[in-house]
Amino acid sequence: MSPYLAEFVGTALIVLLGNGVVANVLLNKTHGNGSGLIVITVGWAMAVFVGVFVAAASSGAHLNPAVTLALAVAGKFAWINVPAYIAAQMLGGMMGAFLVWLVYRNHFAATTDGNLKLAAFCTSPAIRNTKGNLVSEVVGTFVLVYCVLNIASPSMGLGALDALPVALLVMGIGVSLGGTTGYAINPARDFGPRLMHALLPIPGKRDSDWGYALVPVVGSIAGGVLAALVYGLQKMH
């Protein structure tokens, strides 16, 4: 695949499987209804695993605008390619969310709680406090990007299992830091699906909470850039 197609497909797979597990847990009349946070965090980790091993050989598997910007700040990725990567990631996030709606459309219709329908697309805070929510996203994304920058591939490759450390990292962030905002840690995972929630004909849906939408975007980007700066200082010493 071209790197841009790989970013699109990889991000679409992450959102399809990641938001898919949220839909399975939260929406009415699914086999997974009520199975809880641990199922969601494991599902998201596996979603990242799948997206990374599919895209890694073609694009480096950024699959996240915060990662792309951080790599550019760290001097590991050409700035000229940043806009196209981010565009592919955002479109991939939208496609993944569309496919979740397509698969679970009967369950969206059977669910009366508009908040649960929104949660199957994008994140929201457990306690709404803009500064606190922003800090949560900054810290979560910092951990993600800082660790990604420090991951050293083994001298003998593990094939698809090279994606496993990132999947385990995402699971660790989810179980430890995900209780505050739902750990977006990726603008493409949140903004694109939020837009699809606004556009799709979902019966009984609530508004798409655009008043909160900038928090996961700004927080993720800030956390990623901060991680790149810290990594740069680390490499200087």
Side-chain angles (χ1 to χ4, degrees), residues 81-110:
N81 294 325
V82 167
Y85 260 55
I86 291 178
Q89 293 155 3
M90 288 295 189
L91 291 171
M94 293 173 69
M95 175 56 74
F98 171 79
L99 292 173
V100 171
W101 169 77
L102 191 64
V103 170
Y104 282 99
R105 63 192 183 281
N106 292 330
H107 300 276
F108 278 108

Side-chain angles (χ1 to χ4, degrees), residues 23-144:
N24 190 20
V25 169
L26 296 184
L27 298 181
N28 290 348
K29 298 186 179 180
T30 68
H31 289 305
N33 181 258
S35 47
L37 176 65
I38 300 303
V39 170
I40 290 175
T41 53
V42 171
W44 267 105
M46 292 302 97
V48 170
F49 177 76
V50 170
V52 170
F53 82 65
V54 166
S58 300
S59 70
H62 299 187
L63 313 180
N64 182 340
V67 172
T68 297
L69 287 168
L71 290 171
V73 169
K76 293 177 172 290
F77 187 67
W79 280 101
I80 193 171
N81 294 325
V82 167
Y85 260 55
I86 291 178
Q89 293 155 3
M90 288 295 189
L91 291 171
M94 293 173 69
M95 175 56 74
F98 171 79
L99 292 173
V100 171
W101 169 77
L102 191 64
V103 170
Y104 282 99
R105 63 192 183 281
N106 292 330
H107 300 276
F108 278 108
T111 301
T112 57
D113 189 334
N115 291 324
L116 298 181
K117 297 179 185 188
L118 179 63
F121 286 88
C122 54
T123 62
S124 62
I127 297 175
R128 191 170 293 263
N129 179 289
T130 300
K131 291 180 181 179
N133 303 150
L134 195 62
V135 167
S136 294
E137 288 295 331
V138 169
V139 172
T141 312
F142 177 92
V143 172
L144 172 68

Side-chain angles (χ1 to χ4, degrees), residues 108 111-125 128 194-213:
F108 278 108
T111 301
T112 57
D113 189 334
N115 291 324
L116 298 181
K117 297 179 185 188
L118 179 63
F121 286 88
C122 54
T123 62
S124 62
R128 191 170 293 263
R194 193 181 299 271
L195 182 58
M196 293 307 295
H197 175 269
L199 296 176
L200 287 169
I202 304 166
K205 67 179 178 181
R206 55 157 291 179
D207 66 273
S208 301
D209 198 9
W210 290 108
Y212 179 75

Side-chain angles (χ1 to χ4, degrees), residues 7-9 11-13 15-16 87-97 188:
E7 288 294 301
F8 172 83
V9 171
T11 309
L13 285 170
V15 173
L16 169 61
Q89 293 155 3
M90 288 295 189
L91 291 171
M94 293 173 69
M95 175 56 74

